[in-house]
Amino acid sequence: MSAMEGLAATPPAGQQQMRPNGARLYRIRKTCLKMLSKRGYTVADEELNGTAAAFVTKFGEDPGRDQMMLFVERTDDPSDQLMVFFPEEEKVGVKPIKSFCDQMQQNNVSRAIMVVKHSITPFAKQAIQEMAENYKIEYFRDSELLVDITEHRLVPTHNVLDNVQKAELLKRYRLREGQLPRIQKDDPVARYYGLEKGQVVKIIRNSETAGGGGGG
């Protein structure tokens, strides 16, 4: 069981009025919006702070997964855009991924996230790897986004540094990049922030600060 899957939360009162599928999608979409915001994408306040009642008004009590699709722009670079897809399949194969790539191409977008019910097939994983040069597609399972892992009390604060902050950190401590502690690419928090090789994240634990390289 992963760190994300091991967390649980009591649903807000408004969710009790939804059907189980709607309540689940509300929680998943909410976490997804928070994740995008923390990655530096523009997300409207009404979306971030949206209530279960507002969700029902917009999508209904038992919405389809295709209604959850998101399209966002990075706050500091609107040309850097990302799409989020919610495929209906229990186990996603190559066909839906090709369809998503067509939509990305039509919108001139090179990055996307898939939120899948359970898993993707080995052939789908291979397809994602083969497309990586032109299209970067990440994927999360529903169970990984039912709660926002970064808000759990046992998860320390992670601050992703930009290039200037990274250079200042290395200069201050007279370090080379290779001397920084490494954070694994499949670490749940690294995946949450979409960390890539060469990025540095400052981890704050009990007022103690540690720097770690992403994607090593």
Side-chain angles (χ1 to χ4, degrees):
M1 180 178 289
S2 71
M4 283 187 175
E5 290 175 298
L7 304 179
T10 302
Q15 290 183 41
Q16 297 172 9
Q17 301 173 2
M18 296 187 216
R19 295 183 182 178
N21 174 67
R24 185 178 177 87
L25 285 176
Y26 166 73
R27 293 171 63 188
I28 292 167
R29 188 174 186 272
K30 185 99 166 180
T31 299
C32 205
L33 289 166
K34 291 179 182 178
M35 179 173 73
L36 293 171
S37 178
K38 290 173 184 176
R39 287 190 183 195
Y41 290 94
T42 300
V43 179
D45 287 341
E46 57 264 30
E47 287 272 41
L48 281 175
N49 303 315
T51 63
F55 179 89
V56 171
T57 299
K58 184 174 183 178
F59 299 110
E61 294 180 359
D62 190 19
R65 292 178 69 88
D66 59 330
Q67 293 177 260
M68 301 296 104
M69 193 181 80
L70 298 166
F71 188 107
V72 292
E73 301 175 344
R74 189 172 289 279
T75 303
D76 59 3
D77 181 8
S79 66
D80 184 351
Q81 301 170 326
L82 180 146
M83 300 178 75
V84 184
F85 300 103
F86 294 76
E88 292 282 358
E89 294 82 357
E90 295 290 328
K91 194 170 186 178
V92 177
V94 174
K95 187 175 179 180
I97 291 174
K98 288 185 175 179
S99 173
F100 296 150
C101 284
D102 288 343
Q103 294 180 58
M104 293 167 70
Q105 186 176 26
Q106 292 168 11
N107 288 279
N108 197 28
V109 171
S110 61
R111 300 177 68 93
I113 293 173
M114 280 195 313
V115 182
V116 304
K117 286 184 177 180
H118 294 297
S119 61
I120 69 175
T121 67
F123 287 115
K125 290 180 182 179
Q126 183 179 343
I128 289 175
Q129 292 174 353
E130 292 173 351
M131 297 173 181
E133 187 174 339
N134 298 312
Y135 302 104
K136 179 176 173 58
I137 301 177
E138 306 167 58
Y139 65 92
F140 292 86
R141 295 187 301 276
D142 281 3
S143 58
E144 295 177 304
L145 297 176
L146 285 171
V147 295
D148 187 335
I149 188 174
T150 65
E151 296 179 353
H152 192 274
R153 62 184 181 83
L154 296 180
V155 177
T157 300
H158 289 64
N159 294 327
V160 181
L161 306 185
D162 59 29
N163 289 334
V164 173
Q165 293 170 324
K166 174 182 171 181
E168 290 176 349
L169 175 74
L170 295 174
K171 182 178 180 180
R172 179 185 304 170
Y173 295 103
R174 299 180 181 179
L175 295 170
R176 296 188 303 275
E177 185 174 331
Q179 294 176 297
L180 292 172
R182 313 304 294 177
I183 183 170
Q184 296 301 312
K185 199 170 185 179
D186 58 358
D187 177 88
V189 177
R191 292 179 61 228
Y192 180 99
Y193 283 104
L195 295 180
E196 298 180 356
K197 188 172 183 178
Q199 284 189 287
V200 174
V201 59
K202 182 168 72 172
I203 302 173
I204 303 173
R205 296 187 183 91
N206 298 326
S207 299
E208 294 181 1
T209 302

